[in-house]
Amino acid sequence: MDRHADDRGRSGDGRLRRAPLYTPDQRRRRDSTRWTLVQGILAPVQFVVFLISLTLVLRYLATGAGEGAATASIIVKTGVLYAIMITGSIWEKIVFGKWLFADAFWWEDLFSMAVLALHTAYLVALVGGVGTTTDRMLVALAAYATYAINATQFLLKLRAARLDSRPQMAMAA
């Protein structure tokens, strides 16, 4: 038995241990696929597009000015979201063997579906002329709120993966 954990998955100080995010083989596949780099590029691009679009949408809602710029920015944000979701599912298939809903990213993927649904609802409303411009901008804000939560989920998962890859100081003691 490991001197740092008992058979219930607890560390020596009684805290529950979290299983590593990746198996060694999954980590190897993650590190060797070009889709990891694609995700690493698209994620910050999407965040910058989100911040610009959020500013434009809030400006429109506050002043009524800039409807065209706000609308265009939401369309661009949605396009980047679709790109990161498609490439992310390819990445997930390579690393975990599933297009979506791999155990390690199940909750993030589930919440991503809500993000996609809200962004898509905005596009459908825009193309279909459903609601007022303000109504559609509020749908975009709801989409952006879910995106912010989802991005936080992924950042926490990235942090967990980094912590998993650090040499365990306790093991050396």
Side-chain angles (χ1 to χ4, degrees):
M1 181 192 285
D2 180 336
R3 69 184 179 124
H4 297 287
D6 66 22
D7 59 351
R8 292 170 299 189
R10 295 190 182 273
S11 63
D13 62 4
R15 291 181 295 168
L16 285 175
R17 288 186 313 159
R18 179 184 49 79
L21 187 59
Y22 301 100
T23 66
D25 192 46
Q26 290 166 343
R27 184 177 298 281
R28 182 194 54 75
R29 288 192 303 263
R30 181 203 67 187
D31 293 346
S32 67
T33 181
R34 68 176 176 234
W35 296 106
T36 300
L37 176 62
V38 170
Q39 292 295 287
I41 293 169
L42 283 176
V45 166
Q46 181 179 212
F47 189 72
V48 169
V49 171
F50 157 73
L51 289 176
I52 292 167
S53 185
L54 178 62
T55 301
L56 293 170
V57 169
L58 291 174
R59 176 179 168 240
Y60 171 78
L61 289 171
T63 68
E67 175 186 348
T71 299
S73 73
I74 298 166
I75 293 168
V76 170
K77 166 67 175 75
T78 303
V80 175
L81 173 67
Y82 286 150
I84 202 166
M85 286 302 300
I86 291 167
T87 59
S89 68
I90 294 167
W91 176 88
E92 204 164 321
K93 175 68 172 167
I94 290 167
V95 175
F96 296 103
K98 295 177 81 174
W99 290 104
L100 282 171
F101 298 105
D103 291 344
F105 286 93
W106 198 91
W107 286 106
E108 291 80 5
D109 287 349
L110 180 65
F111 214 83
S112 291
M113 295 301 114
V115 175
L116 279 172
L118 285 165
H119 280 77
T120 302
Y122 172 85
L123 292 179
V124 168
L126 178 65
V127 171
V130 176
T132 65
T133 300
T134 299
D135 294 336
R136 290 189 294 270
M137 294 291 170
L138 292 173
V139 170
L141 283 182
Y144 288 4
T146 59
Y147 162 75
I149 293 166
N150 196 224
T152 301
Q153 287 178 300
F154 280 103
L155 288 172
L156 291 171
K157 195 64 70 148
L158 178 62
R159 181 180 180 274
R162 285 189 177 150
L163 290 174
D164 285 346
S165 66
R166 285 190 334 190
Q168 297 298 321
M169 299 297 274
M171 298 299 247

